[in-house]
Amino acid sequence: MLGILAVLFYMQKKHVSFSKRVFIALGIGIVFGFALQFIYGVGSEVLTKSAEWFSIVGSGYVKFLQMVVMPLVFISILAAFTKLKLTNNIGKISTLILGLLVGTTAVAAMVGIVTAVGFDLEAVQINQGEAEQAQTMKLEETYGGIEGRTMPQQILDLLPANPFLDFTGARPTSTISVVIFAAFLGIAFLGVRRKSPEQAEHFAKIVDAFYAVIMRVVTLILRLTPYGVLAIMTKTVALSDFAAIINLGKFVVASYVALTIMFIIHLLLLTISGLNPVTYIKKAFPVLAFAFTSRTSAGALPLNIKTQRSLGVPEGIANFAGSFGLSIGQNGCAGIYPAMLAVMIAPTVGIDPLSPSFIATVIAIVAISSFGVAGVGGGATFAALLVLSALDLPVGLAGLLISIEPLIDMGRTAVNVSGSMTSGILTSRITKEIDPVIYTDMNQKIEAEA
């Protein structure tokens, strides 16, 4: 591992592009992980202890990204007001972003339903081992804590009663709460600027200084991306139970077919709006690769925002889309996954999953339930619990896929991040604030050398 890390460092010194280094790190991580498992075996003590050391690089990188998420969200939203980037149409921008996030999640639910029906997926096809039974019990306990949680309660959870608590990320909806708090400060700044221009100018200079420092921190952390991707991918592949994955291969294939279709829909939306989808793929690859390997949308936020900026999206819109996308309308975790589970579980209680009324109900509930719940740890499971309970389906059966959950979650996270970026790009396109020159300029690809 140290040898491979040294090779990546050498490539950085030779100014090999950021995207190429991320791609190479991803490929080497997969091959290295397979090799380690082949040599030592998945249950090997040597492999387990080695993976702990790999985590210093992989998990350490994720922690650094999570460290900067809240400061980045706060100062970026505030800077959007001080730089006059959002003041004229903030209401329209917020509505468009939210509408696109929730709307694409409804489409994702439809994709999940069609895929589950097409592959003839049913919960009764899965054998319940000890791991599945343990997960079932755990989910039923979790459900006891959220049972009866209404939509108004979910909305209230988004509001920042104590912004300083939310800066610690203590609540599932902390990120959105910080966005709301920053927006209030921004609106207050606009009022002060009308009455006391001199004080407002001092405040704006302070915000600009903090923004410059935070973005420099982001750049420093992003330099570690290839190393983090290598370590995370190696550990994931080396410790994966491929026997269980093979046994549930049908469910894995169906999940990735649905996720691929949803990603293609993102590309179609960009094409319809007059943007080149190939350019999007090339520029988005680093953030999608990181999201895939790390399985964390929150950790991917700095890369998400940087990527949107490299695609010509204004700062304010990029930050709103990235931040809202952490807790609202995640296409993979809150759209495809709960819908597929609902179709799989429905026959166990005598419900016809092909019934038009059932399909319409699933899509509506998935769209509503995706609002403010997908950003929590284990967001896909949490969203699934809400959807299954709203449909009066047995929530415990959501634990049947525990053995392949990490593998499926990798693809779900990448689609979540793609959906977030797509909403930002389309919003800036609709409001005519996107810079088409930057979008098409491949020299504007995300880099971390400056």
Side-chain angles (χ1 to χ4, degrees), residues 107-117 121 258 335-337 339-341 343:
V107 173
M110 196 179 307
V111 170
I113 291 171
V114 172
T115 307
V117 171
L121 299 182
I336 290 173
Y337 186 64
M340 290 184 74
L341 280 180
V343 171

Side-chain angles (χ1 to χ4, degrees), residues 22 26 61-62 65 225 228-229 232-233 236 256 280 284-304 307 326 330 333 406-421:
V22 171
L26 180 65
Y61 171 64
V62 173
L65 281 169
T225 300
V229 167
I232 294 168
M233 201 70 232
T236 300
Y256 272 90
Y280 171 77
F285 176 78
V287 63
L288 296 180
F290 170 72
F292 182 83
T293 52
S294 67
R295 298 166 51 200
T296 167
S297 298
L301 181 62
L303 270 169
N304 181 331
T307 301
L326 294 184
Q330 293 192 342
C333 288
L407 179 61
I408 297 175
D409 196 42
M410 295 168 79
R412 288 193 311 237
T413 307
V415 171
N416 291 344
V417 173
S418 178
S420 170
M421 292 193 296

Side-chain angles (χ1 to χ4, degrees), residues 9-268:
F9 182 73
Y10 176 77
M11 292 173 64
Q12 180 179 340
K13 289 297 183 182
K14 288 296 182 179
H15 304 293
V16 176
S17 75
F18 182 75
S19 298
K20 288 181 179 177
R21 283 186 284 121
V22 171
F23 182 80
I24 291 170
L26 180 65
I28 293 177
I30 293 172
V31 174
F32 189 33
F34 272 119
L36 289 175
Q37 185 171 140
F38 177 77
I39 295 170
Y40 295 104
V42 70
S44 166
E45 184 180 355
V46 173
L47 194 55
T48 302
K49 289 187 176 180
S50 296
E52 290 181 4
W53 286 98
F54 297 166
S55 292
I56 294 177
V57 178
S59 299
Y61 171 64
V62 173
K63 285 182 178 292
F64 280 138
L65 281 169
Q66 291 171 335
M67 169 190 75
V68 79
V69 165
M70 289 304 182
L72 175 62
V73 169
F74 175 73
I75 201 66
S76 297
I77 297 299
L78 194 52
F81 282 90
T82 60
K83 295 177 181 179
L84 296 176
K85 295 292 178 66
L86 287 177
T87 54
N88 295 327
N89 53 359
I90 183 171
K92 181 179 179 181
I93 287 172
S94 301
T95 302
L96 280 171
I97 291 173
L98 291 174
L100 286 166
L101 286 170
V102 177
T104 52
T105 301
V107 173
M110 196 179 307
V111 170
I113 291 171
V114 172
T115 307
V117 171
F119 278 82
D120 192 27
L121 299 182
E122 291 186 17
V124 294
Q125 298 170 352
I126 305 174
N127 295 322
Q128 290 198 48
E130 292 183 6
E132 285 77 16
Q133 291 175 358
Q135 179 70 358
T136 294
M137 294 178 62
K138 182 179 178 181
L139 291 179
E140 288 174 345
E141 291 176 4
T142 303
Y143 173 65
I146 64 171
E147 188 175 8
R149 194 163 175 263
T150 64
M151 186 63 181
Q153 290 173 328
Q154 293 180 34
I155 294 174
L156 284 174
D157 285 342
L158 301 177
L159 303 181
N162 183 348
F164 299 102
L165 175 67
D166 288 319
F167 272 112
T168 68
R171 300 190 304 135
T173 56
S174 285
T175 306
I176 299 301
S177 296
V178 169
V179 171
I180 294 172
F181 177 60
F184 265 102
L185 289 180
I187 293 170
F189 162 80
L190 298 179
V192 172
R193 191 179 61 183
R194 286 194 298 268
K195 297 181 178 180
S196 305
E198 187 175 341
Q199 292 179 340
E201 184 179 350
H202 286 311
F203 181 78
K205 288 181 180 178
I206 293 173
V207 170
D208 287 345
F210 271 104
Y211 180 79
V213 172
I214 293 298
M215 291 309 296
R216 183 60 184 173
V217 171
V218 170
T219 299
L220 293 174
I221 295 172
L222 292 187
R223 289 180 179 177
L224 304 175
T225 300
Y227 312 105
V229 167
L230 168 69
I232 294 168
M233 201 70 232
T234 300
K235 179 181 176 181
T236 300
V237 174
L239 298 182
S240 293
D241 185 352
F242 288 102
I245 292 172
I246 292 172
N247 289 335
L248 293 169
K250 181 180 179 181
F251 298 92
V252 175
V253 172
S255 296
Y256 272 90
V257 166
L259 292 168
T260 302
I261 291 172
M262 195 60 218
F263 181 66
I264 292 173
I265 289 174
H266 292 163
L267 299 182
L268 287 174

